[in-house]
Protein backbone atom coordinates (compact mmCIF):
# COMPACT_ATOMS: atom_id res chain seq x y z
CA UNK A 1 0.00 0.00 0.00
CA UNK A 2 1.27 3.46 -0.81
CA UNK A 3 -0.02 7.01 -1.26
CA UNK A 4 -1.00 7.28 -4.93
CA UNK A 5 -1.98 10.94 -4.77
CA UNK A 6 -4.22 13.39 -3.00
CA UNK A 7 -7.86 14.35 -3.19
CA UNK A 8 -8.66 18.00 -4.01
CA UNK A 9 -9.19 18.51 -0.25
CA UNK A 10 -5.71 17.16 0.49
CA UNK A 11 -6.68 13.68 1.77
CA UNK A 12 -4.41 10.83 0.74
CA UNK A 13 -5.58 8.35 -1.89
CA UNK A 14 -4.02 4.93 -1.47
CA UNK A 15 -3.24 2.25 -4.05
CA UNK A 16 -3.16 -1.39 -2.88
CA UNK A 17 -1.81 -4.29 -4.95
CA UNK A 18 -3.27 -7.76 -4.39
CA UNK A 19 -1.63 -10.83 -5.89
CA UNK A 20 -2.02 -14.55 -6.36
CA UNK A 21 0.04 -16.91 -8.51
CA UNK A 22 -2.29 -16.15 -11.45
CA UNK A 23 -3.55 -12.57 -10.99
CA UNK A 24 -2.48 -9.10 -9.95
CA UNK A 25 -5.16 -6.60 -8.93
CA UNK A 26 -4.58 -2.90 -8.18
CA UNK A 27 -7.29 -0.99 -6.33
CA UNK A 28 -7.66 2.58 -5.11
CA UNK A 29 -9.24 3.93 -1.94
CA UNK A 30 -10.98 6.54 -4.11
CA UNK A 31 -14.28 4.92 -5.10
CA UNK A 32 -12.93 1.51 -4.00
CA UNK A 33 -11.88 1.43 -7.66
CA UNK A 34 -10.42 -1.51 -9.55
CA UNK A 35 -7.70 0.37 -11.43
CA UNK A 36 -5.74 -2.46 -13.04
CA UNK A 37 -6.04 -6.23 -13.42
CA UNK A 38 -3.38 -8.48 -14.94
CA UNK A 39 -3.24 -12.16 -15.70
CA UNK A 40 0.04 -14.07 -15.44
CA UNK A 41 2.06 -13.99 -18.69
CA UNK A 42 -0.37 -11.46 -20.25
CA UNK A 43 1.08 -7.99 -20.78
CA UNK A 44 -2.11 -5.97 -21.22
CA UNK A 45 -4.64 -5.15 -18.47
CA UNK A 46 -8.01 -6.94 -18.47
CA UNK A 47 -9.93 -3.86 -17.29
CA UNK A 48 -9.98 -0.23 -18.36
CA UNK A 49 -8.34 2.23 -16.00
CA UNK A 50 -6.63 5.59 -15.91
CA UNK A 51 -2.83 5.60 -15.41
CA UNK A 52 -3.05 8.72 -13.22
CA UNK A 53 -5.26 9.73 -10.32
CA UNK A 54 -6.69 13.02 -11.57
CA UNK A 55 -9.14 11.63 -14.21
CA UNK A 56 -10.80 9.60 -11.46
CA UNK A 57 -11.94 12.82 -9.74
CA UNK A 58 -14.42 13.23 -12.61
CA UNK A 59 -14.66 9.62 -13.88
CA UNK A 60 -17.91 10.14 -15.76
CA UNK A 61 -17.85 6.50 -16.90
CA UNK A 62 -17.39 5.27 -13.31
CA UNK A 63 -14.43 3.11 -14.45
CA UNK A 64 -13.85 0.34 -11.90
CA UNK A 65 -15.77 2.04 -9.09
CA UNK A 66 -18.21 0.75 -6.51
CA UNK A 67 -21.40 2.70 -7.30
CA UNK A 68 -24.22 3.37 -4.82
CA UNK A 69 -25.92 3.79 -2.45
CA UNK A 70 -28.29 2.95 -5.29
CA UNK A 71 -26.74 1.57 -8.46
CA UNK A 72 -28.46 2.59 -11.67
CA UNK A 73 -31.57 4.77 -11.81
CA UNK A 74 -34.35 6.00 -9.56
CA UNK A 75 -37.09 7.59 -11.64
CA UNK A 76 -37.67 11.30 -11.08
CA UNK A 77 -35.26 11.14 -8.14
CA UNK A 78 -37.98 10.13 -5.71
CA UNK A 79 -39.27 7.10 -3.81
CA UNK A 80 -41.66 6.20 -1.01
CA UNK A 81 -39.88 4.62 1.95
CA UNK A 82 -42.14 3.44 4.76
CA UNK A 83 -44.85 5.89 3.81
CA UNK A 84 -42.62 8.94 3.45
CA UNK A 85 -41.66 10.50 0.13
CA UNK A 86 -37.92 11.17 -0.28
CA UNK A 87 -36.29 13.31 -2.95
CA UNK A 88 -32.80 12.44 -4.13
CA UNK A 89 -30.06 14.20 -6.08
CA UNK A 90 -31.20 14.42 -9.72
CA UNK A 91 -27.84 14.01 -11.41
CA UNK A 92 -29.12 12.51 -14.68
CA UNK A 93 -30.47 15.24 -16.96
CA UNK A 94 -31.69 17.01 -13.81
CA UNK A 95 -34.55 14.50 -13.82
CA UNK A 96 -33.47 11.14 -12.39
CA UNK A 97 -31.02 9.83 -9.79
CA UNK A 98 -28.16 7.77 -11.24
CA UNK A 99 -25.69 5.64 -9.23
CA UNK A 100 -26.52 7.28 -5.91
CA UNK A 101 -26.26 10.89 -7.05
CA UNK A 102 -23.41 13.22 -7.90
CA UNK A 103 -21.56 12.43 -4.66
CA UNK A 104 -22.22 8.69 -4.70
CA UNK A 105 -19.76 6.11 -3.43
CA UNK A 106 -17.87 6.08 -6.77
CA UNK A 107 -16.29 9.50 -6.13
CA UNK A 108 -15.76 9.24 -2.38
CA UNK A 109 -12.44 8.35 -0.74
CA UNK A 110 -13.03 5.15 1.24
CA UNK A 111 -11.12 4.19 4.39
CA UNK A 112 -8.95 1.08 4.53
CA UNK A 113 -10.10 -1.29 7.27
CA UNK A 114 -7.63 -4.12 6.72
CA UNK A 115 -5.41 -5.51 3.99
CA UNK A 116 -2.73 -8.05 3.19
CA UNK A 117 -1.17 -9.33 -0.01
CA UNK A 118 -4.37 -11.08 -1.14
CA UNK A 119 -7.27 -9.01 0.26
CA UNK A 120 -8.39 -5.52 1.22
CA UNK A 121 -11.51 -4.16 2.90
CA UNK A 122 -12.64 -0.57 2.26
CA UNK A 123 -15.23 1.29 4.34
CA UNK A 124 -17.38 4.32 3.64
CA UNK A 125 -20.00 6.04 5.78
CA UNK A 126 -22.78 7.81 3.90
CA UNK A 127 -24.48 10.19 6.35
CA UNK A 128 -28.22 10.53 6.95
CA UNK A 129 -29.64 12.82 4.26
CA UNK A 130 -26.67 12.35 1.94
CA UNK A 131 -27.91 12.81 -1.64
CA UNK A 132 -31.40 12.84 -0.09
CA UNK A 133 -31.29 9.25 1.22
CA UNK A 134 -32.32 8.52 4.79
CA UNK A 135 -30.08 6.75 7.29
CA UNK A 136 -26.42 6.68 8.19
CA UNK A 137 -25.29 3.88 5.89
CA UNK A 138 -22.04 2.06 6.63
CA UNK A 139 -20.77 0.09 3.63
CA UNK A 140 -17.76 -2.20 3.28
CA UNK A 141 -16.27 -3.61 0.08
CA UNK A 142 -13.82 -6.49 0.25
CA UNK A 143 -11.66 -7.58 -2.68
CA UNK A 144 -9.95 -10.94 -2.44
CA UNK A 145 -7.62 -12.59 -4.93
CA UNK A 146 -7.11 -16.36 -4.80
CA UNK A 147 -5.49 -18.28 -7.66
CA UNK A 148 -7.50 -17.27 -10.76
CA UNK A 149 -10.52 -15.85 -8.91
CA UNK A 150 -11.47 -12.38 -7.69
CA UNK A 151 -14.15 -12.14 -5.00
CA UNK A 152 -16.05 -8.90 -4.45
CA UNK A 153 -18.17 -8.80 -1.29
CA UNK A 154 -20.22 -5.70 -0.46
CA UNK A 155 -21.97 -5.39 2.90
CA UNK A 156 -23.92 -2.53 4.44
CA UNK A 157 -26.00 -1.59 7.49
CA UNK A 158 -28.12 1.43 8.36
CA UNK A 159 -29.58 3.16 11.41
CA UNK A 160 -32.74 4.20 9.52
CA UNK A 161 -34.71 2.39 6.83
CA UNK A 162 -33.13 3.28 3.49
CA UNK A 163 -32.41 2.06 -0.04
CA UNK A 164 -29.35 -0.05 -0.81
CA UNK A 165 -28.13 -1.47 -4.10
CA UNK A 166 -24.40 -1.47 -4.93
CA UNK A 167 -22.35 -2.82 -7.83
CA UNK A 168 -18.84 -2.74 -9.27
CA UNK A 169 -18.56 -0.77 -12.50
CA UNK A 170 -15.45 -2.24 -14.17
CA UNK A 171 -15.13 -2.32 -17.95
CA UNK A 172 -13.54 -5.51 -19.25
CA UNK A 173 -11.39 -5.93 -22.33
CA UNK A 174 -9.74 -9.35 -22.42
CA UNK A 175 -7.75 -8.81 -25.62
CA UNK A 176 -6.18 -5.39 -25.11
CA UNK A 177 -7.38 -4.41 -28.58
CA UNK A 178 -8.95 -1.00 -29.37
CA UNK A 179 -12.36 -2.66 -29.79
CA UNK A 180 -14.25 -5.79 -28.72
CA UNK A 181 -14.81 -7.35 -32.15
CA UNK A 182 -13.06 -10.55 -31.06
CA UNK A 183 -15.14 -10.85 -27.85
CA UNK A 184 -18.03 -13.24 -27.25
CA UNK A 185 -20.57 -12.99 -24.43
CA UNK A 186 -22.94 -15.53 -22.89
CA UNK A 187 -25.62 -14.63 -20.33
CA UNK A 188 -27.73 -17.29 -18.65
CA UNK A 189 -31.06 -15.46 -18.61
CA UNK A 190 -34.57 -16.10 -19.88
CA UNK A 191 -35.74 -12.48 -19.62
CA UNK A 192 -34.55 -8.89 -19.88
CA UNK A 193 -36.22 -5.82 -18.44
CA UNK A 194 -38.32 -3.76 -20.80
CA UNK A 195 -37.09 -0.16 -20.82
CA UNK A 196 -39.11 2.96 -21.53
CA UNK A 197 -37.86 6.54 -21.90
CA UNK A 198 -34.55 7.43 -20.22
CA UNK A 199 -33.70 3.72 -19.87
CA UNK A 200 -36.17 3.33 -17.03
CA UNK A 201 -37.80 -0.10 -16.57
CA UNK A 202 -41.51 -0.29 -17.31
CA UNK A 203 -41.93 -3.22 -14.92
CA UNK A 204 -42.43 -5.68 -17.75
CA UNK A 205 -40.16 -8.62 -18.58
CA UNK A 206 -39.26 -9.58 -22.15
CA UNK A 207 -38.59 -13.22 -23.02
CA UNK A 208 -35.23 -13.47 -24.75
CA UNK A 209 -36.10 -16.63 -26.73
CA UNK A 210 -35.90 -15.93 -30.48
CA UNK A 211 -34.85 -12.31 -29.93
CA UNK A 212 -31.53 -10.46 -30.20
CA UNK A 213 -31.39 -10.52 -26.40
CA UNK A 214 -30.90 -14.29 -26.34
CA UNK A 215 -27.33 -14.90 -25.20
CA UNK A 216 -27.75 -18.29 -23.62
CA UNK A 217 -24.98 -19.39 -25.95
CA UNK A 218 -21.78 -17.51 -26.70
CA UNK A 219 -22.36 -14.81 -29.31
CA UNK A 220 -20.10 -12.04 -30.67
CA UNK A 221 -20.40 -8.61 -29.10
CA UNK A 222 -19.65 -6.98 -32.48
CA UNK A 223 -18.64 -3.69 -30.86
CA UNK A 224 -22.27 -2.52 -30.73
CA UNK A 225 -23.72 -0.27 -28.04
CA UNK A 226 -25.43 -2.04 -25.12
CA UNK A 227 -27.39 -0.89 -22.09
CA UNK A 228 -29.67 -3.73 -21.00
CA UNK A 229 -30.60 -5.49 -17.75
CA UNK A 230 -30.78 -9.28 -17.82
CA UNK A 231 -32.78 -11.25 -15.26
CA UNK A 232 -30.26 -13.92 -14.33
CA UNK A 233 -31.37 -17.54 -14.16
CA UNK A 234 -30.94 -18.49 -10.53
CA UNK A 235 -30.47 -22.23 -11.05
CA UNK A 236 -27.24 -21.70 -12.98
CA UNK A 237 -24.01 -21.31 -11.00
CA UNK A 238 -22.18 -19.42 -13.75
CA UNK A 239 -24.34 -16.45 -14.70
CA UNK A 240 -22.29 -15.08 -17.57
CA UNK A 241 -19.18 -15.78 -19.62
CA UNK A 242 -16.96 -13.37 -21.53
CA UNK A 243 -14.13 -14.54 -23.77
CA UNK A 244 -11.69 -13.09 -26.28
CA UNK A 245 -10.79 -15.30 -29.23
CA UNK A 246 -7.44 -13.63 -29.91
CA UNK A 247 -5.99 -14.15 -26.42
CA UNK A 248 -8.06 -17.24 -25.46
CA UNK A 249 -8.87 -15.58 -22.13
CA UNK A 250 -12.20 -16.44 -20.54
CA UNK A 251 -13.96 -14.83 -17.59
CA UNK A 252 -16.88 -16.49 -15.80
CA UNK A 253 -19.15 -14.42 -13.56
CA UNK A 254 -20.82 -15.91 -10.49
CA UNK A 255 -23.12 -13.80 -8.33
CA UNK A 256 -25.96 -13.90 -5.82
CA UNK A 257 -27.62 -10.86 -7.44
CA UNK A 258 -30.84 -11.20 -9.50
CA UNK A 259 -29.79 -8.96 -12.37
CA UNK A 260 -26.87 -7.95 -14.54
CA UNK A 261 -26.69 -4.72 -16.50
CA UNK A 262 -24.66 -5.05 -19.69
CA UNK A 263 -23.34 -1.60 -20.49
CA UNK A 264 -21.10 -0.74 -23.41
CA UNK A 265 -20.97 2.83 -24.71
CA UNK A 266 -19.80 3.28 -28.28
CA UNK A 267 -16.89 5.47 -27.20
CA UNK A 268 -15.41 3.03 -24.66
CA UNK A 269 -13.49 -0.10 -25.71
CA UNK A 270 -14.65 -2.19 -22.76
CA UNK A 271 -17.84 -3.82 -21.54
CA UNK A 272 -19.36 -3.33 -18.10
CA UNK A 273 -21.15 -6.30 -16.51
CA UNK A 274 -22.90 -4.89 -13.43
CA UNK A 275 -24.34 -7.44 -11.01
CA UNK A 276 -27.10 -5.82 -8.96
CA UNK A 277 -30.79 -5.55 -8.21
CA UNK A 278 -32.98 -3.76 -10.71
CA UNK A 279 -32.99 -0.13 -11.76
CA UNK A 280 -35.86 1.89 -10.23
CA UNK A 281 -36.69 -1.01 -7.91
CA UNK A 282 -38.15 1.20 -5.15
CA UNK A 283 -40.90 2.37 -7.51
CA UNK A 284 -41.85 -1.03 -9.00
CA UNK A 285 -43.36 -3.22 -6.26
CA UNK A 286 -42.79 -6.61 -7.93
CA UNK A 287 -39.07 -5.99 -8.48
CA UNK A 288 -36.57 -7.46 -5.97
CA UNK A 289 -36.60 -5.57 -2.69
CA UNK A 290 -34.02 -2.79 -2.37
CA UNK A 291 -35.16 -1.47 1.03
CA UNK A 292 -32.69 -2.02 3.87
CA UNK A 293 -34.02 -2.02 7.44
CA UNK A 294 -32.10 -1.33 10.63
CA UNK A 295 -32.16 -4.99 11.71
CA UNK A 296 -30.84 -6.24 8.35
CA UNK A 297 -27.43 -6.44 6.72
CA UNK A 298 -27.08 -5.91 2.99
CA UNK A 299 -24.84 -8.52 1.39
CA UNK A 300 -23.83 -9.23 -2.15
CA UNK A 301 -21.07 -11.37 -3.59
CA UNK A 302 -19.72 -11.52 -7.12
CA UNK A 303 -16.85 -13.62 -8.42
CA UNK A 304 -14.76 -13.30 -11.57
CA UNK A 305 -13.05 -16.55 -12.53
CA UNK A 306 -10.37 -16.34 -15.22
CA UNK A 307 -9.04 -19.16 -17.39
CA UNK A 308 -7.67 -19.97 -20.84
CA UNK A 309 -9.70 -21.95 -23.38
Amino acid sequence: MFVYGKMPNGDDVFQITLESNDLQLKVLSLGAIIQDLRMKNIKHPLVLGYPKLEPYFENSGKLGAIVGRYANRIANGTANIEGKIYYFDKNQNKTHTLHGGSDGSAVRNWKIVQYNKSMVTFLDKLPDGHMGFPGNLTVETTYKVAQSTIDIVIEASTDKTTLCNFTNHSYFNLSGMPNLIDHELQINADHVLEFGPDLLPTGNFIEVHKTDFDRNKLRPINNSRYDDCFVLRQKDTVKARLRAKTTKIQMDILTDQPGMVVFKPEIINGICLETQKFSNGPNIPHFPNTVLHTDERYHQKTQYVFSKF
Side-chain angles (χ1 to χ4, degrees):
M1 179 179 74
F2 73 97
V3 176
Y4 191 69
K6 291 186 179 295
M7 295 289 291
N9 67 358
D11 288 348
D12 290 338
V13 175
F14 294 93
Q15 184 193 69
I16 300 96
T17 299
L18 309 179
E19 291 185 302
S20 68
N21 288 334
D22 301 323
L23 299 173
Q24 182 190 76
L25 178 68
K26 292 185 178 182
V27 292
L28 300 177
S29 59
L30 171 58
I33 285 169
I34 291 179
Q35 182 188 26
D36 191 273
L37 170 61
R38 308 280 172 142
M39 196 172 180
K40 186 178 181 180
N41 298 323
I42 301 294
K43 293 183 178 181
H44 61 80
L46 305 184
V47 295
L48 304 188
Y50 297 116
K52 295 183 178 180
L53 178 62
E54 286 72 22
Y56 286 111
F57 296 153
E58 180 70 24
N59 198 12
S60 59
K62 302 294 185 287
L63 267 67
I66 298 293
V67 297
R69 81 175 66 179
Y70 198 95
N72 240 286
R73 294 166 177 82
I74 300 177
N76 301 308
T78 185
N80 185 321
I81 305 174
E82 292 190 324
K84 182 179 178 179
I85 303 298
Y86 288 87
Y87 299 91
F88 315 122
D89 180 43
K90 297 181 179 181
N91 62 320
Q92 184 189 10
N93 302 326
K94 298 182 179 180
T95 305
H96 310 297
T97 301
L98 178 62
H99 293 328
S102 56
D103 187 40
S105 59
V107 296
R108 294 168 60 84
N109 195 22
W110 296 48
K111 305 300 181 184
I112 298 169
V113 176
Q114 59 177 329
Y115 76 97
N116 57 42
K117 66 177 183 180
S118 63
M119 65 82 65
V120 62
T121 298
F122 295 108
L123 179 144
D124 192 19
K125 293 185 177 181
L126 301 172
D128 183 26
H130 179 257
M131 298 288 98
F133 292 92
N136 293 292
L137 186 79
T138 300
V139 55
E140 291 185 346
T141 296
T142 298
Y143 293 109
K144 182 180 179 181
V145 176
Q147 297 180 327
S148 59
T149 299
I150 295 173
D151 288 352
I152 305 175
V153 176
I154 306 172
E155 296 182 292
S157 59
T158 182
D159 64 359
K160 187 186 296 185
T161 302
T162 190
L163 303 177
C164 190
N165 180 36
F166 286 89
T167 192
N168 179 269
H169 211 269
S170 289
Y171 294 81
F172 294 94
N173 182 325
L174 305 183
S175 68
M177 296 175 63
N179 56 57
L180 300 180
I181 290 176
D182 73 324
H183 279 57
E184 297 177 316
L185 177 64
Q186 176 181 342
I187 305 170
N188 294 327
D190 297 320
H191 297 87
V192 295
L193 301 188
E194 179 185 68
F195 284 157
D198 294 337
L199 292 170
L200 288 166
T202 65
N204 297 325
F205 300 90
I206 300 173
E207 288 192 25
V208 302
H209 183 58
K210 294 185 178 180
T211 73
D212 287 340
F213 292 115
D214 191 346
R215 287 193 168 272
N216 282 282
K217 295 183 179 179
L218 281 164
R219 284 176 45 203
I221 291 177
N222 290 330
N223 220 38
S224 302
R225 182 183 185 277
Y226 297 90
D227 202 342
D228 305 296
C229 183
F230 288 79
V231 183
L232 298 174
R233 198 161 49 238
Q234 294 304 299
K235 68 178 182 180
D236 295 324
T237 302
V238 176
K239 307 300 184 184
R241 173 169 291 166
L242 181 69
R243 57 166 52 172
K245 291 187 288 186
T246 53
T247 57
K248 302 295 183 182
I249 296 175
Q250 176 172 294
M251 181 181 74
D252 287 344
I253 299 178
L254 294 74
T255 186
D256 58 10
Q257 295 300 285
M260 187 175 75
V261 172
V262 178
F263 178 52
K264 185 198 169 297
E266 292 180 358
I267 60 172
I268 294 180
N269 64 326
I271 189 165
C272 200
L273 304 167
E274 311 167 41
T275 56
Q276 59 187 273
K277 294 180 180 177
F278 300 156
S279 183
N280 202 32
N283 295 309
I284 302 178
H286 61 272
F287 274 8
N289 176 50
T290 54
V291 174
L292 182 67
H293 297 279
T294 57
D295 60 346
E296 298 173 326
R297 188 163 179 83
Y298 172 87
H299 176 93
Q300 79 128 295
K301 182 177 181 179
T302 296
Q303 291 181 302
Y304 305 132
V305 182
F306 295 89
S307 59
K308 299 293 289 286
F309 65 93

